[in-house]
Amino acid sequence: MIQLRPSPDLVAAVAEPGPSPSTADVAGGMPGVELDEGFTPIALPRPVPAAAGGDPLSLNQPLDFSLAAEDATVLVRGTISDDELATRVALLPTMRADVVGVFADPVIESSLTCGGDAPVGDWRDVERLLNVASLAAEGLDGSGVCLAVLDTGINAAHVARHLGRAVTLDAERSWNPSTVDGRPGEFEVDHGTMCAFDTLIAAPKSTLIDIPVLLSRRPGGSALDGLLSDAVAAFAHLRTVLENQPPETRSLVISNSWGSFSPRWDFPVGHPGNYSDNAAHPFNLIVSSLDRAGADVLFAAGNCGRECKDGRCAYPDRPIVGANSHARALSIGGVDTSGERVGYSSQGPGRLTARKPDLCAYTHFLGSKAFGENEADSGTSAACPVAAGLVAAIRTRWPSAKLTPAQLRALLRRTADDRSEIGYDFDYGYGVLDTAGIVAALRRRAKRVA
């Protein structure tokens, strides 16, 4: 990923809705770089500290984001050969005034694992444990709330058939990477269908947005990996979805059951183009900007737990990396329906933020049957959308104007059912999501603001 600062006119043209200037228009000639003409340039907002003297890259300080032509930058995608040292030197910001940075575009993969283990309970048990009936009694069923599933695409007919009820999917606000063909809600039954099913356990009336980002392809890539640059483009699209909603009812929940498993796809830690530990990476910045605009962003913590880690896990320690450890996102670990942490759920500390995972949600239950009649919805891949559904249910009556994403994260942490050491720990985070505690806290909040 190459972050550029072209002329303000070009920045404005990229940021405006409608056809965007081409990569060649934005980047011009870059000797040694094979630019991806199929990747639509993306306007990246500039982080601006909300308080004078603040750090624009801090994940723990209030930030605003500016898309003004004089502030924003533009992201393009390209390939540089490993032996093209001269090209990489030529793209250093000290060598070219229009280059802000060159960043890793790591492979991102889904977080499903331990599929051979028998399910523990089924989705009706999860429905009971989440106390969905009490949520419905409070009017918290996801009605009118957009819930974006960034994954391998959704098969809405399969989800509806196995839930036994209708599914609402917004095709107009869904989005495909440039290399992906297919109609929203009509993709093959796979990992994304599982995630969509699991979001609807707690929020049955929410509106799904289908973003098949894991179907994007790199040369020689497998069927279940994509590129982080396509996730940047997806988040840029979702920013427009959010900003087109009325401010007083604005809400958007984003479920991400994927991550980067291996440092070999990244620049080394400390390199300015690194993703895993770098708050300045374009994807980590755009996550912050969505949070600031009012979106709830959730990531699976990953399946690199010490007891039963996925074979792809290549970080020797601290495997919760990049946006999966972002301070302005919820990182979700997994417990089974008995409340015990599953052995593959990644433990902290995280890399961008030490206190990760934040919380745990239910996984390893018989649910979507996306992988077979007797196969579990497994991994933190299932736990993340289960949690996202609960967040979407809350947003039915508590849009971001009434309860900011930061306030909601604090409420979820405060009300969690602590399952291990008193207070925070790196196995369970703050504990397991507790619907009864959440509902009680929302009632108290409603009385205070009445």
Side-chain angles (χ1 to χ4, degrees):
M1 283 181 265
I2 305 170
Q3 186 180 5
L4 300 169
R5 185 176 285 110
S7 68
D9 288 347
L10 272 173
V11 174
V14 172
E16 289 174 359
S20 175
S22 69
T23 295
D25 291 336
V26 172
M30 286 189 167
V33 180
E34 184 180 346
L35 291 169
D36 185 349
E37 293 289 347
F39 184 79
T40 302
I42 302 165
L44 290 175
R46 177 189 176 191
V48 180
D55 180 359
L57 296 181
S58 172
L59 297 180
N60 299 305
Q61 294 179 11
L63 293 176
D64 292 321
F65 290 85
S66 172
L67 270 173
E70 64 272 17
D71 292 332
T73 54
V74 176
L75 194 74
V76 298
R77 181 165 77 187
T79 304
I80 304 171
S81 174
D82 288 341
D83 57 7
E84 286 280 357
L85 178 59
T87 298
R88 281 182 277 166
V89 170
L91 289 176
L92 290 173
T94 54
M95 302 294 289
R96 282 190 57 156
D98 62 334
V99 175
V100 178
V102 179
F103 297 90
D105 190 6
V107 168
I108 54 176
E109 302 177 278
S110 59
S111 297
L112 191 71
T113 193
C114 285
D117 296 345
V120 181
D122 61 23
W123 72 274
R124 291 291 188 184
D125 293 313
V126 175
E127 186 180 54
R128 174 180 53 80
L129 289 163
L130 292 176
N131 210 344
V132 172
S134 72
L135 289 172
E138 296 286 326
L140 305 177
D141 57 10
S143 294
V145 178
C146 290
L147 207 167
V149 178
L150 275 70
D151 213 272
T152 63
I154 298 168
N155 188 295
H158 179 95
V159 174
R161 183 165 60 253
H162 288 275
L163 274 177
R165 54 182 179 245
V167 170
T168 303
L169 187 142
D170 190 329
E172 185 176 341
R173 289 189 281 190
S174 296
W175 178 89
N176 286 8
S178 60
T179 58
V180 176
D181 294 323
R183 294 168 60 86
E186 298 180 11
F187 290 94
E188 291 185 13
V189 176
D190 209 316
H191 192 264
T193 299
M194 178 197 78
C195 293
F197 179 99
D198 294 341
T199 64
L200 298 179
I201 296 174
K205 294 186 179 180
S206 60
T207 298
L208 296 175
I209 295 178
D210 193 0
I211 312 279
V213 71
L214 292 186
L215 294 184
S216 63
R217 291 289 186 272
R218 61 181 174 87
S222 69
L224 284 184
D225 64 34
L227 291 171
L228 193 60
S229 49
D230 284 317
V232 178
F235 271 58
H237 165 76
L238 289 172
R239 185 176 62 218
T240 65
V241 169
L242 189 65
E243 291 174 347
N244 285 333
Q245 297 177 18
E248 64 275 10
T249 59
R250 185 170 292 170
S251 62
L252 172 65
V253 182
I254 308 173
S255 181
N256 304 275
S257 290
W258 48 269
S260 178
F261 285 84
S262 173
R264 84 182 180 93
W265 290 104
D266 202 350
F267 286 113
V269 175
H271 186 287
N274 168 266
Y275 166 63
S276 65
D277 294 65
N278 181 9
H281 189 281
F283 187 63
N284 293 327
L285 285 177
I286 207 164
V287 168
S288 288
S289 75
L290 264 290
D291 165 80
R292 184 69 180 89
D296 299 294
V297 183
L298 293 87
F299 276 89
N303 299 332
C304 298
R306 285 185 291 271
E307 297 87 348
C308 172
K309 67 177 165 181
D310 189 301
R312 298 168 295 174
C313 298
Y315 284 94
D317 53 20
R318 301 183 74 169
I320 309 177
V321 310
N324 302 65
S325 63
H326 202 292
R328 292 185 170 90
L330 283 170
S331 180
I332 306 298
V335 294
D336 62 26
T337 55
S338 68
E340 294 298 317
R341 176 184 158 271
V342 289
Y344 49 73
S345 182
S346 293
Q347 292 126 317
R351 287 178 175 263
L352 289 184
T353 308
R355 287 199 167 193
K356 298 291 172 176
D358 293 271
L359 299 155
C360 284
Y362 299 104
T363 185
H364 220 89
F365 53 87
L366 191 63
S368 68
K369 302 184 181 180
F371 301 99
E373 285 296 311
N374 299 308
E375 295 296 324
D377 287 8
S378 182
T380 56
S381 276
C384 179
V386 166
L390 181 55
V391 171
I394 294 166
R395 288 299 184 200
T396 314
R397 295 180 60 187
W398 292 89
S400 60
K402 290 185 177 180
L403 188 70
T404 68
Q407 289 170 332
L408 179 53
R409 290 195 297 272
L411 184 149
L412 296 177
R413 294 166 182 151
R414 187 174 66 250
T415 58
D417 181 11
D418 195 348
R419 291 298 178 94
S420 185
E421 301 170 6
I422 297 175
Y424 183 87
D425 65 81
F426 290 129
D427 285 340
Y428 290 85
Y430 288 92
V432 181
L433 287 165
D434 180 7
T435 299
I438 293 166
V439 169
L442 291 174
R443 285 175 177 166
R444 290 192 296 270
R445 186 178 184 88
K447 287 181 179 177
R448 290 199 303 271
V449 300

